[in-house]
Amino acid sequence: MSEYKKNVAVLGGAFDPVHMDHIRVAKTCLQKGFCDEVWFMPSPDRWDKTLNASPEDRFAMLEFAMEGDPRLVLSDLEIEQGDFRGSYVFLCSLRERFPDVNFRLLTGADTYDGIPHWRDPMNFFGTNYNGHLLLRDIELIVFARNGYPKPDIAAHKAKGYADLLWLGPEQGFEGIYSSTAIRKALLCGEEPKGLHPKVYEYIKQRGLYKD
């Protein structure tokens, strides 16, 4: 009999700032039995996007939003990595560090089509993408995003990729918030929807997202 491995969904990203859909998708993933824990992995400063809040502020806001749910684990492992290396390199390092855990990448439908072009920015020479290796080696949990289709799971499997689980309206999740829209509202001096009250209070106290 094979030994059971704990299933951990890794939810990475900028979380700039974290909003309630981040928490909702994690809890729905748990309720559906897609994982035993969700590890939130805020990224370090990145080559591919400008981050508005510091890693320390983004980490603090996540602590408020998660409200002590023991199944939601906040990790600074990717921040500690220093340079942003991309998802595949980071997930491989997690598998080496935690061999008794089965890691699944929790990602949005808006990112799915672009995964084959993901890469390690520290070791990239024009054509050596590693996204196809991620699809081959790492199971995915893809959640619905407005305006983006559900992945073709049969076609995904036919390519020899690892399992893909879908988390959409039929499973009880439909995302309505975005960090971009929240930042725009804050910049205009408006109180945005979708923030945990303690996160909003922290943003005001720290004077974040004003310019």
Side-chain angles (χ1 to χ4, degrees), residues 155-194:
H156 179 92
K157 290 293 292 179
K159 293 176 182 177
Y161 294 156
D163 286 344
L164 187 157
L165 299 170
W166 170 247
L167 199 61
E170 59 271 41
Q171 286 77 36
F173 176 77
E174 193 165 7
I176 57 175
Y177 302 118
S178 79
S179 295
T180 301
I182 287 170
R183 289 195 304 271
K184 287 180 179 178
L186 290 166
L187 185 61
C188 295
E190 302 170 359
E191 181 175 353
K193 296 180 180 179

